[in-house]
Amino acid sequence: MNIIVNILVNFLPVLVISLIFCLKNKQIKWYMPILSILIGMFAVFPATFIQLLFPEMFFAKQTLLTLLFSSLVYIALVEEVCKTVCLFLVPNKNLSITSFFALSFLVGYSFGSFENIIYIFKGMTNPILRMLTSCVIHSVCTGTAAFFVWFLRKKKFHLSLILTPIFVHGLYDFFAGFPGKFWLVSIIVIFYGIFQCSVFYQMFKNDEKIQ
């Protein structure tokens, strides 16, 4: 029973976000948030598969350096690349960049929500903390990567738009693995990720639609 409750609580934010997007943005049709949620779920599978192919112990987490390398490569690089590739499945025709950003943001939050399901079945009893941390970092990083995909479709390559989410995600995961005061640094990283994403949003929000 507790597992069912935790799963329902886990998905409540993504449903609320979907409803808000539909009500506030006339370009976003009712089926688009549903598709974005499914894309986020789909992205979990290749990321998990790749991580299972190369067990975390392969990176020998014994020093700060190997821990950082594991956070950046084993987790951040794999997951952000998988999410970014899946963003090409998000409909973008006749959508503004802000609408595409919103749907991509939802993909990221969905990814984090479905990832939480794995942890719930592993015994996590309170998904709220991860909803406020991990899901947020996934949505912010995917939102940033959305600009990379947007411009790549227009044959413009901005490397910083894909390196930034990898770096932010990796840095978050690095500090999230520490107990006590060091864990709090991961919260600072989340706010930095939000700030960086908002900077890119302000820079690109007036870009023309892809016809």
Side-chain angles (χ1 to χ4, degrees):
M1 185 64 180
N2 287 336
I3 291 180
I4 296 176
V5 172
N6 285 334
I7 291 175
L8 292 176
V9 171
N10 177 64
F11 281 107
L12 182 61
V14 78
L15 297 176
V16 172
I17 294 171
S18 299
L19 181 61
I20 292 173
F21 285 168
C22 287
L23 293 176
K24 294 293 185 179
N25 191 323
K26 294 182 180 179
Q27 289 186 345
I28 297 179
K29 308 303 180 184
W30 65 269
Y31 65 90
M32 292 180 177
I34 297 175
L35 181 59
S36 295
I37 292 173
L38 293 176
I39 291 172
M41 177 190 70
F42 176 76
V44 173
F45 292 103
T48 303
F49 178 73
I50 292 172
Q51 289 168 338
L52 287 175
L53 282 179
F54 303 96
E56 197 166 4
M57 58 182 292
F58 176 79
F59 293 97
K61 282 191 172 184
Q62 297 176 351
T63 67
L64 288 178
L65 186 60
T66 54
L67 177 60
L68 180 61
F69 181 77
S70 175
S71 298
L72 287 170
V73 177
Y74 178 77
I75 296 175
L77 177 64
V78 171
E79 294 184 358
E80 293 307 321
V81 168
C82 287
K83 287 186 294 178
T84 300
V85 171
C86 287
L87 286 184
F88 285 94
L89 300 175
V90 177
N92 70 309
K93 188 174 182 180
N94 295 323
L95 288 183
S96 66
I97 192 170
T98 55
S99 298
F100 182 71
F101 169 81
L103 293 174
S104 300
F105 182 93
L106 192 57
V107 170
Y109 204 99
S110 172
F111 182 99
S113 297
F114 279 100
E115 190 178 58
N116 281 355
I117 297 299
I118 298 175
Y119 287 96
I120 288 174
F121 280 106
K122 284 184 176 181
M124 181 178 69
T125 57
N126 185 3
I128 295 178
L129 180 61
R130 282 187 60 86
M131 286 164 49
L132 298 174
T133 54
S134 180
C135 287
V136 172
I137 203 69
H138 275 298
S139 57
V140 168
C141 288
T142 311
T144 302
F147 298 119
F148 174 80
V149 173
W150 178 272
F151 287 109
L152 195 61
R153 278 173 160 162
K154 302 178 83 170
K155 303 189 185 312
K156 297 178 182 178
F157 184 78
H158 295 282
L159 185 61
S160 63
L161 295 177
I162 187 62
L163 291 182
T164 298
I166 293 173
F167 172 74
V168 170
H169 187 168
L171 203 60
Y172 160 79
D173 189 76
F174 175 73
F175 286 106
F178 288 100
K181 294 180 180 180
F182 285 105
W183 177 86
L184 294 175
V185 180
S186 67
I187 304 301
I188 297 175
V189 175
I190 292 175
F191 281 104
Y192 169 74
I194 294 172
F195 168 75
Q196 187 63 70
C197 184
S198 65
V199 168
F200 286 132
Y201 179 84
Q202 292 299 322
M203 288 173 58
F204 304 130
K205 65 179 181 180
N206 294 322
D207 194 74
E208 296 179 357
K209 298 179 183 178
I210 297 178
Q211 301 297 330

